[in-house]
Amino acid sequence: MANNKCMPVLVVKVGTSTLTDRSGRVDRSFLIDLTSQLAARQQAGWSVILVTSGAIRAGREALDSRTHALPETASGKPALDTNSLPFKQAAAAIGQGRLMHTYTEAFSWRNVDCAQVLLTREDIEDARRLENARNTLRMLLSLGVIPIINENDTVAVDEIKFGDNDNLAAMVARLIEADLLLILSDVEGLFPNGGPRAEDATPIPLVTKVDSVIQAMAGGETSMGGTGGMRTKIEAARLATEAGIKTVIARGRRPQVVEDVALGSVVGTTFLPQTHSEN
Ligand code: GLU
C-alpha cells in the first residue's frame, strides 16, 4: 500500500491504438468519456494518474496536409520518411500539447485539474530524479490534480520503439506505490494462444503469477496493432505485481471499465500482486 494515504491510488494507462478512431485520428469522444470516468474515480476519493500515449498520433494529424503535399524524390520515394524516429519525435513534440489541450479541456468540464508530466526511463533509474518525480507526483495528488504522464519523446525513444508506454506505466505505479494498475487495451484481456479465436471467447480471468507460460501466451510485439501488443502489457503486469500492485488488462472501450475494475468486478484479466516473500 502506498505512502501516507488512506484512499487507493489508481494508475490507468491508455495506448495509441485504443485512443485512435477508425479513420486514424485521436478519438476525442473516447478521451472525453475516459476523463469523465477518471474524474468520477477521483470524486469517489481515489488518487488517479493517467499514463497516455497518442502524442505522435496527434502530431501526425496536425502535420497531415504538410506531409501529403511533399514531393517524391527522383527515385519515387517520399521526400520524408514519416516512419523514422526523428519524424515520430517531431510529431510527438507537436502532438503532446494538442493531446494535453484535449485532456485539460475535457477534465475542466468535470471541474478537475490535470498536469503534464513527461518522463524517461533514465529519470526513474536515477535516484535523485526518481525522488524529484515522486515528490512532484505526490504533491499533484495531494492537490487533487490528475497527473497525465507520457514519455519525453524528444530525449527518449524507448516507448516509441518497444512499449507504447506499458513499461512507463508500470514504473510509475511502482514509483508512487499504487494499489491498482489498469492497462486499457484493444482486446478484452489475455487469451490463451495470443488472441481471441471466437467472437464469444472470454479472456483468462485471473493470473496468479506472470511466469513463462503466461509470457508465451502474450505472442509477439505487435499482436494488437500498436507498438506494444500484449507482450509489453504482460511485462508491465509482471513489473507491477512483483512490487505488490494488482494489475488489470481490460478493453478500454468497454463502458464504465474504470469503475468496474476499481470496484473489483471480474473484467478482463486480473494479475494478482505478489507478496514480498515471493519476490
Ligand atoms: N510517447 C508516444 C506517444 O505519445 C508513445 C509511443 C506510441 O504510441 O507508440 O505517441
Side-chain angles (χ1 to χ4, degrees):
M1 294 285 279
N3 36 64
N4 54 348
K5 68 195 167 80
C6 42
M7 294 314 263
V9 176
L10 167 67
V11 175
V12 175
K13 181 261 166 181
V14 62
T16 301
S17 55
T18 304
L19 55 73
T20 300
D21 67 17
R22 281 162 198 257
S23 67
R25 303 174 75 82
V26 172
D27 186 344
R28 266 103 195 148
S29 50
F30 171 76
L31 292 195
I32 291 165
D33 180 64
L34 178 62
T35 54
S36 69
Q37 292 190 56
L38 299 180
R41 257 324 76 214
Q42 200 205 44
Q43 276 142 19
W46 289 47
S47 291
V48 177
I49 295 178
L50 175 64
V51 178
T52 182
S53 306
I56 297 173
R57 175 65 53 201
R60 281 191 190 281
E61 256 181 67
L63 288 168
D64 244 7
S65 54
R66 201 171 311 187
T67 46
H68 281 137
L70 286 170
E72 292 183 340
T73 60
S75 62
K77 286 193 181 145
L80 190 64
D81 179 1
T82 55
N83 283 319
S84 68
L85 275 174
F87 183 88
K88 288 181 184 174
Q89 289 175 281
I94 295 161
Q96 179 64 28
R98 291 167 180 255
L99 191 64
M100 278 308 297
H101 177 77
T102 304
Y103 279 122
T104 305
E105 195 175 39
F107 273 125
S108 75
W109 297 333
R110 306 274 162 187
N111 291 319
V112 172
D113 286 318
C114 60
Q116 172 180 273
V117 177
L118 299 178
L119 292 173
T120 67
R121 179 186 293 271
E122 285 74 24
D123 296 328
I124 292 170
E125 284 169 356
D126 176 277
R128 256 188 67 199
R129 289 178 181 212
L130 176 125
E131 199 47 36
N132 290 335
R134 184 186 285 130
N135 289 341
T136 305
L137 291 173
R138 282 186 180 160
M139 181 56 76
L140 288 168
L141 293 177
S142 67
L143 291 167
V145 172
I146 296 186
I148 299 185
I149 300 177
N150 198 353
E151 183 171 51
N152 187 351
D153 293 319
T154 300
V155 294
V157 293
D158 282 0
E159 299 290 349
I160 296 178
K161 285 203 289 194
F162 315 110
D164 198 15
N165 283 345
D166 295 320
N167 272 300
L168 184 64
M171 291 203 257
V172 166
R174 290 173 67 125
L175 167 73
I176 202 72
E177 297 171 39
D179 299 278
L180 177 60
L181 169 62
L182 170 57
I183 300 176
L184 298 177
S185 162
D186 298 338
V187 293
E188 300 288 344
L190 176 66
F191 291 84
N193 310 316
R197 295 286 150 116
E199 290 253 316
D200 58 352
T202 50
I204 298 167
L206 193 67
V207 172
T208 51
K209 188 172 171 77
V210 178
D211 57 15
S212 55
V213 176
I214 294 296
Q215 281 165 328
M217 285 178 193
E221 271 174 35
T222 55
S223 57
M224 296 189 325
T227 46
M230 191 51 77
R231 194 176 58 82
T232 55
K233 289 175 178 53
I234 297 297
E235 183 54 20
R238 186 186 66 76
L239 278 172
T241 53
E242 281 181 3
I245 301 161
K246 178 172 148 183
T247 302
V248 176
I249 299 176
R251 190 166 62 85
R253 287 171 185 266
R254 186 184 195 281
Q256 292 306 315
V257 63
V258 176
E259 177 170 359
D260 286 349
V261 170
L263 299 184
S265 307
V266 180
V267 175
T269 301
T270 298
F271 299 78
L272 290 183
Q274 305 299 296
T275 61
H276 287 294
S277 57
E278 286 172 312
N279 288 343

